[in-house]
Amino acid sequence: MTVRRLIPSIDLLLQRPALSAAVGSHGQNRVTDAARIAAAALRSAEERGEPGLPATSEDAATWLEGRVLDDLNRLFTPSLRRVINATGVILHTNLGRAPLSTEAIARAALIAAGYSNLEYDVDAGTRGHRRAHAERLLCAVTGADAALVVNNNAAAVLLVLTALAAGREAIVSRGELVEIGGGFRVPEILAQSGATLREVGTTNRTRVSDYAAAISERTGLVLRVHPSNFRITGFTERPRLDDLAVITRRFGLPLVEDLGSGWLDADGDPAPALADEPSVRESLRGGADLVAFSGDKLLGGPQAGIVAGRRDLVDRLGQHPLMRALRADKLTYAMLEATLLLWAQPSTRTRLPVHRMLLMTPQDIEARARRLDAALEGTPGLRARLIDGASTTGGGSAPDSSLPTRLLAVEIDGVGAAALEATLRHGDPAVIARIQDEAVVIDMRTVMPEEEDELAHAVRRAGERSRKAFTMKK
Ligand SMILES: *Cc1c(COP(=O)(O)O)cnc(C)c1O
């Protein structure tokens, strides 16, 4: 008999206890739809000649029931999930960049749960401005006269170019026409803004005189871009910002710097990996009229784009119609303000997870790796050893910087590194780790302290699982 003939009617199927319970929680229509889809899937499995299909009506009903429940379950599970980042890449673009501080989370929860003065002047009892939030703090920590917040740094750069250079030329060095992770390409953003790209210099060398020669009555602004994840080495030249500022001032043109990472450098920070990272404060002091940077890179806050600098220019951005489309929401303001408050004092800065991770020494990390090693003791077939390695800041900041770390290299007898890595990734929570020299390596730098027990449990379980799969194959 063909499977097709074993498929019960939808009505009959929905009378099964598990499915009638599902109807109770999801409603008749949704479960009926899922049952139709399951029946169609069974028919097409038969057409494809798949092996192991149900042989009796009861088997078919069980098959369909399982399929319906799985589908409903998958449909109503959030797709955005927490993962454990054991890669050692602090601002991992694919893993959501900066984890937030407890303070920022608490602030977001407070503002999210009720109403707020987002656009209300409580003192005057009149309409207020969203833009007022975070501005005072941003100015305090960067030294800028004015600042505004949009959705992300790509939006910040787009807004600057549109408001200040649409229909005119934006001068950019050929060495800075870069693509940054996630499809941010300087020439494409420029094209979207309605400004015309005026390239100057060469890929490896651009001088102040190249900029000066390109300036004309068509020029709208000069843009400098932090090359982020890309570095040109060897025979290179890039003008100092202050030398370039002399020229742009002479012609009365805005000098804009897209810094990307948003290192604030409030009062000389100790993170050695970032010694060469240009800070927002230095850039403004060096003569940039506007600086654009991300909220969720080295700043360690929520996804946001910040433009800081000259009051008259920031006001022009704020009044541009595009501002309405790019504006940040109240939760972003809440989280950003809490983050900036932590930045304002050196003693509270280490409450930002990104800061803590940057400052962790190989000794700190080794101590944590040893704890993990001890917790893995006795897992059948598991071998672990401590090795030297490198963590990275990621997120297109400090491109050359690698931070010395200590890794726990984990191997399971008879199981390849790729298989173990995949098993870790498929766990709940997923553990994302790297493979190095045929072993899965775990960098505790990016594992949150409260995740340590969970990580040990996950590695142990993955070890047991991948070994079971291996012995079954044998
Ligand atoms: C990261 C980065 C961007 C894009 O910032 P988002 O916040 O991801 O939109 C733009 N420019 C530079 C130099 C960057 O490093």
Side-chain angles (χ1 to χ4, degrees), residues 154-169:
V157 175
L158 178 66
L159 179 62
V160 170
L161 290 169
T162 309
L164 305 183
R168 318 188 67 181
E169 288 179 355

Side-chain angles (χ1 to χ4, degrees), residues 93 97 151-157 178 180-181 184 186 225-229 258-261 292-297 303-305 395-397:
T93 302
R97 289 196 190 158
N151 234 310
N152 52 39
N153 190 34
V157 175
V178 293
I180 289 139
F184 178 88
V186 174
V225 182
H226 182 31
S228 288
N229 47 7
D258 172 14
L259 272 185
S261 76
F293 54 99
S294 291
D296 56 345
K297 289 186 180 171
Q303 179 189 301
S397 40

Side-chain angles (χ1 to χ4, degrees), residues 211-256:
Y211 286 93
I215 292 174
S216 72
E217 71 287 345
R218 291 185 301 278
T219 310
L221 56 78
V222 172
L223 175 67
R224 291 239 305 184
V225 182
H226 182 31
S228 288
N229 47 7
F230 173 77
R231 183 141 292 181
I232 300 164
T233 54
F235 185 58
T236 65
E237 190 171 337
R238 188 179 188 228
R240 288 164 47 107
L241 189 67
D242 46 5
D243 292 338
L244 195 53
V246 171
I247 302 291
T248 53
R249 282 214 190 103
R250 186 182 307 153
F251 289 95
L253 289 170
L255 175 56
V256 178

Side-chain angles (χ1 to χ4, degrees), residues 329-351:
D329 76 321
K330 60 186 177 183
L331 300 186
T332 302
Y333 278 106
M335 295 182 282
L336 185 61
E337 286 202 317
T339 305
L340 293 168
L341 273 171
L342 295 178
W343 266 96
Q345 290 171 47
S347 62
T348 55
R349 227 168 281 162
T350 50
R351 294 204 207 140

